[in-house]
Each structure stands twice: as C-alpha cells, then as structure tokens.
Amino acid sequence: MDQKNTKIVILAGGDSERFGGPKHLSEILGEPLLKRTLRLLIELCSHEITVVTPPNLLAAYSVIENEQITYLERSGPCLQKLVQIEPLLVGADHYIVLLGDVFFTRQALNSIIANNSREVVFYCRYGPSLVSERNWGEIFGLSFSNS
C-alpha cells in the first residue's frame, strides 16, 4: 500500500490517576512512551499522524513538533475518543489506531505499518506481561481499510 494513503491515530488517554500520573509520559529507557512511539513512527514512515489527547494534557502530550504530527483535543474515555475520531477517517485508504501508553518496539511498529490487510486487524499481546507478569493479553492497536 502506498504510504500516502495511510493515516495513523494515537489515542493518548487521560490522567492515569491509578498509575499516579500520565502513563504516556512515563519514561522507559530514558524516553517518554508517547515520544518514543512518535519518534519511531517518523523514522519508519511518512504517514500523517494525529495524537488525540485530553484538553488538559495537550501541552504535556505535545512532545514532538513535526509536520507529520497533528495534536487534537478530545474529552472522555479511550473508547469515546475512538468514536470521536470518525471525522479524521477520511482521505486515506488505510488507517492505524494505536494506544499511546504502550512500549512499542521498532519491529512491532514496522510490522503494523507494513500490514496491508484489507481486514480489520487487532494488535495484541497474549500471555503474561514481561513487566507486570500478569497473565492476560491486551489490545494495543488496530488497523482497517475503507474498502
């Protein structure tokens, strides 16, 4: 699929009160999660990227200034934000939606970007977490096409 026909949306959720602060800004390997994801995406592709963030965290989540990236304010929980991004889902053939509080490896992002499936694809982790050792999977992204 031609890169110019793909848009990436990153859902950067709320205050993460149970976590003690915004998870998206938590540093792993010396870099905030959201900044790392954006940096890797810029290195790997030229897709348009929109970061959807709560209004009260827009300044904090605006971690990289780049012509590929747009920051958009939306209120509400993650699922509600997903519904609110519907107006963004125009002008491309393929869309990638990622959660902003996930540690993505370069290999994982490269695989997600390269997936040209016309089907809806959910990206998940199965089994125990390497960090928390809790034994459940989690969904951290999806991709889909207009056709």
Side-chain angles (χ1 to χ4, degrees):
M1 177 151 316
D2 188 359
Q3 284 194 10
K4 68 182 177 191
N5 292 324
T6 298
K7 288 186 179 182
I8 299 173
V9 177
I10 298 177
L11 300 177
D15 298 322
S16 303
E17 292 171 0
R18 291 176 294 168
F19 190 72
K23 288 186 284 184
H24 308 81
L25 301 178
S26 296
E27 289 193 11
I28 296 182
L29 300 177
E31 188 173 30
L33 287 174
L34 181 60
K35 185 175 184 178
R36 174 189 165 76
T37 300
L38 291 170
R39 179 182 56 77
L40 288 173
L41 288 170
I42 290 167
E43 290 173 11
L44 293 170
C45 69
S46 60
H47 301 318
E48 179 182 324
I49 303 165
T50 301
V51 179
V52 182
T53 176
N56 63 320
L57 292 171
L58 178 64
Y61 284 0
S62 299
V63 293
I64 292 181
E65 294 297 323
N66 183 287
E67 62 188 32
Q68 276 179 258
I69 303 171
T70 302
Y71 295 92
L72 180 67
E73 297 177 352
R74 290 292 186 266
S75 298
C78 190
L79 187 57
Q80 184 178 343
K81 283 187 185 72
L82 185 56
V83 173
Q84 291 176 352
I85 66 167
E86 184 180 1
L88 298 175
L89 305 179
V90 294
D93 297 322
H94 192 72
Y95 299 91
I96 298 169
V97 180
L98 302 173
L99 298 184
D101 61 351
V102 174
F103 181 87
F104 289 99
T105 64
R106 176 182 299 276
Q107 180 182 0
L109 286 174
N110 209 27
S111 295
I112 292 169
I113 292 166
N115 186 340
N116 293 325
S117 174
R118 291 277 179 208
E119 303 294 324
V120 175
V121 177
F122 288 91
Y123 302 99
C124 331
R125 175 188 53 77
Y126 297 101
S129 166
L130 295 176
V131 176
S132 70
E133 297 181 0
R134 294 198 173 136
N135 194 21
W136 64 68
E138 64 181 329
I139 297 172
F140 52 81
L142 67 118
S143 65
F144 55 93
S145 297
N146 269 338
S147 54

